[in-house]
Amino acid sequence: MVKMAEVDNDGEQKATDKDDLQVLKELVDDLYSFRDRYFETHSVEDAGRKQNDVAQEMAKTLQRLDEKEDLYKNSAQFLLLRGRCLNVAPEFSQAAEECLSRAVKLEPGLVEGWNTLGEQYWKKGDLTAAKTCFTGAQQQNKNKVSLRSLSMVLRQLPPVEDAQEQSKRILESVELARQAVQLDVTDGTSWYILGNAYISMFFTSGQNPQLSQQALSAYAQAEKIDKASSMNPDLHFNRATLFQYEEMYSSALDGYSRAAALDPGWEDAREREKQLLNYLDQVTMLIENKGKVKARRLRNMLSSLSTSALGPCSSPQFRSPSGRVGSLEPRSLSALTHGHNGGVAALGKVVFSLASEGRMAFTFGMVDSDETCSVVMVYNTADSWGVLIGDTVVIPEPQVKRHSVTHKDKSYDFRSIRVDSPLLLIVNGKRQVMKSQSAAFVTYKPQSE
């Protein structure tokens, strides 16, 4: 009979343990919910308090865990809960690493333990150890957190010299993010990370417009299905970077501004907004005053401008960027239509160029023989490439865009010509050499994903 009673007590103890740990798990889950869904219970004006409020909630939850520590200090589940609680903070925690390392030692099949330990190594800057944790968790059990975390780690590892190898790595990162979404199509975080993977692929593999569209669709899906994602400053920032590259300036400014409002301590977002406004100020001013070139000098410059400057474009064998073969007709800047101008070339003299701070394109202004000034944005230029005031530039089949930008109390209205590579230009009668071009490398994610 005594033996039976012992079994009962043991069973009761196990039930109590389970109840205790379940209550503590709910407290830790609530802590994450408080952090991730902060703006469901607070207004954006409270954004500056968020980090402090989360730290206070973490301290309260830790206190509750401490009360039970003597009972459960050798329980893998308890150590996982403690590690997860400390992991809610944005910075690395030595105590969290120790708890989680002990948890997975005691219970090597603890997938959540490996994933959280991987996050700690990520915060510590040890990406190799983070990758090992996420890979290990993934091998135990295919899960969305490991998949999307591996996708991020692959993109953050230092680039390899072999371009093919690097490109393979980015492709794999997109595939892992896709798999994470397939495991749970209602998870906004997975959609957001898929958007980041597409952006990374867009900027490292020739800027295929389809990838840019896929990134925007993934971000839109994240916002649609998950309120927390629509309040994620990183999403707004990363999407704004893409908008800026696509010359959708109003959307880019709104995105940077939103990111700064949701995370007031994040200097980069505020800085990008400021830099872009400054860039638009400069561009519109320089177009208006034709690069401040004095009238007499401008007339002198333009007097040497003739159709002979068309160089290779005047040959019947000239192959245009669109694939068309045949000579191009010179066309004045004011006669160019919006969009693609097939069969014609714009021709002018450089009157200004802009320093590089916060811009994604080499920007210069050119004036044609009618003294019309237009701004030209050249993408994927090597650092060493540029044009000088007085150079003659020919743009085959120019791509013209009209900008009408309004942001806060500022508005801008101007036309520009977009050139996707310096190799498309003829400068002083010559084609540009291969080393004029470099792949666009845009910092699209300066915070943790």
Side-chain angles (χ1 to χ4, degrees), residues 274-304:
K274 199 174 103 189
Q275 281 179 349
L276 182 48
L277 285 169
N278 187 31
Y279 173 74
L280 293 170
D281 281 340
Q282 285 182 289
V283 163
T284 46
M285 181 194 75
L286 287 163
I287 295 171
E288 207 171 313
N289 61 28
K290 296 173 188 166
K292 299 183 185 163
V293 175
K294 292 197 163 62
R296 194 173 179 181
R297 187 181 172 204
L298 186 61
R299 279 197 298 276
N300 277 342
M301 277 162 64
L302 294 174
S303 66
S304 63

Side-chain angles (χ1 to χ4, degrees), residues 86-87 89-98 100 116-126:
L86 292 161
N87 182 60
E91 60 284 333
F92 168 70
S93 154
Q94 188 66 49
E97 184 192 331
E98 284 163 13
L100 295 160
T116 316
L117 182 58
E119 271 191 59
Q120 278 300 314
Y121 283 131
W122 174 293
K123 290 172 184 177
K124 192 181 186 178
D126 189 344

Side-chain angles (χ1 to χ4, degrees), residues 318-425:
F318 181 75
R319 181 177 284 274
S320 296
S322 62
R324 173 190 175 279
V325 176
S327 62
L328 299 180
E329 249 185 79
R331 181 72 49 92
S332 68
L333 292 170
S334 58
L336 295 173
T337 55
H338 292 167
H340 177 74
N341 288 263
V344 303
L347 168 71
K349 287 280 188 182
V350 176
V351 289
F352 70 81
S353 68
L354 276 183
S356 67
E357 190 196 27
R359 56 103 180 124
M360 295 181 184
F362 182 91
T363 304
F364 69 90
M366 69 182 217
V367 171
D368 67 4
S369 50
D370 296 343
E371 294 197 18
T372 302
C373 185
S374 183
V375 67
V376 182
M377 297 167 188
V378 189
Y379 291 81
N380 301 306
T381 59
D383 289 342
S384 57
W385 186 87
V387 290
L388 302 171
I389 291 174
D391 279 351
T392 302
V393 175
V394 176
I395 307 171
E397 303 200 323
Q399 189 77 28
V400 178
K401 193 161 185 183
R402 165 81 184 275
H403 303 277
S404 186
V405 182
T406 306
H407 182 68
K408 296 180 178 169
D409 59 344
K410 296 202 161 206
S411 58
Y412 308 92
D413 205 319
F414 64 98
R415 290 207 323 167
S416 71
I417 296 174
R418 182 186 180 106
V419 180
D420 282 323
S421 160
L423 300 181
L424 302 174
L425 297 174

Side-chain angles (χ1 to χ4, degrees), residues 33-44 46 49 53 227 231:
S33 186
F34 178 80
R35 180 194 71 179
D36 298 336
R37 306 200 167 274
Y38 185 83
F39 294 110
E40 289 178 26
T41 50
H42 297 75
S43 75
V44 176
D46 294 331
R49 288 175 27 206
D53 288 353
K227 183 86 186 289
M231 297 305 218

Side-chain angles (χ1 to χ4, degrees), residues 111-342:
V111 169
E112 197 172 11
W114 285 111
N115 280 334
T116 316
L117 182 58
E119 271 191 59
Q120 278 300 314
Y121 283 131
W122 174 293
K123 290 172 184 177
K124 192 181 186 178
D126 189 344
L127 294 176
T128 310
K131 184 173 182 247
T132 305
C133 290
F134 298 135
T135 306
Q138 177 58 16
Q139 283 162 352
Q140 301 268 4
N141 177 19
K142 190 171 179 179
N143 67 94
K144 63 186 180 185
V145 176
S146 300
L147 284 166
R148 69 195 186 201
S149 301
L150 277 171
S151 168
M152 292 192 286
V153 167
L154 282 178
R155 281 177 277 121
Q156 295 301 313
L157 287 169
V160 287
E161 296 231 345
D162 182 345
Q164 217 172 347
E165 207 45 51
Q166 183 62 19
S167 155
K168 216 165 96 182
R169 194 193 271 178
I170 300 287
L171 258 173
E172 192 188 339
S173 108
V174 171
E175 187 45 42
L176 289 163
R178 270 198 202 123
Q179 286 178 32
V181 164
Q182 281 161 1
L183 285 182
D184 180 2
V185 293
T186 66
D187 188 312
T189 304
S190 296
W191 279 105
Y192 159 66
I193 287 164
L194 177 60
N196 287 350
Y198 279 134
I199 285 195
S200 186
M201 198 169 168
F202 173 80
F203 282 124
T204 52
S205 60
Q207 296 112 45
N208 177 341
Q210 194 186 344
L211 291 169
S212 148
Q213 211 33 63
Q214 284 171 304
L216 293 176
S217 299
Y219 288 149
Q221 192 62 16
E223 287 186 298
K224 183 176 152 191
I225 59 176
D226 182 8
K227 183 86 186 289
S229 288
S230 67
M231 297 305 218
N232 174 355
D234 290 348
L235 184 151
H236 292 284
F237 184 93
N238 295 350
R239 182 167 54 190
T241 305
L242 185 57
F243 281 145
Q244 184 174 343
Y245 184 85
E246 299 281 19
E247 297 180 1
M248 297 163 73
Y249 297 126
S250 289
S251 301
L253 288 163
D254 289 346
Y256 292 139
S257 177
R258 184 77 174 145
L262 290 166
D263 187 352
W266 190 10
E267 282 305 314
D268 283 1
R270 210 173 303 286
E271 191 54 31
R272 283 277 188 98
E273 180 187 10
K274 199 174 103 189
Q275 281 179 349
L276 182 48
L277 285 169
N278 187 31
Y279 173 74
L280 293 170
D281 281 340
Q282 285 182 289
V283 163
T284 46
M285 181 194 75
L286 287 163
I287 295 171
E288 207 171 313
N289 61 28
K290 296 173 188 166
K292 299 183 185 163
V293 175
K294 292 197 163 62
R296 194 173 179 181
R297 187 181 172 204
L298 186 61
R299 279 197 298 276
N300 277 342
M301 277 162 64
L302 294 174
S303 66
S304 63
L305 191 62
S306 72
T307 52
S308 64
L310 284 170
C313 295
S314 55
S315 156
Q317 273 77 53
F318 181 75
R319 181 177 284 274
S320 296
S322 62
R324 173 190 175 279
V325 176
S327 62
L328 299 180
E329 249 185 79
R331 181 72 49 92
S332 68
L333 292 170
S334 58
L336 295 173
T337 55
H338 292 167
H340 177 74
N341 288 263

Side-chain angles (χ1 to χ4, degrees), residues 431-444:
R431 292 178 184 274
Q432 301 306 282
V433 293
M434 211 49 208
K435 63 177 186 202
S436 313
Q437 176 178 281
S438 83
F441 182 76
V442 177
T443 315
Y444 72 92

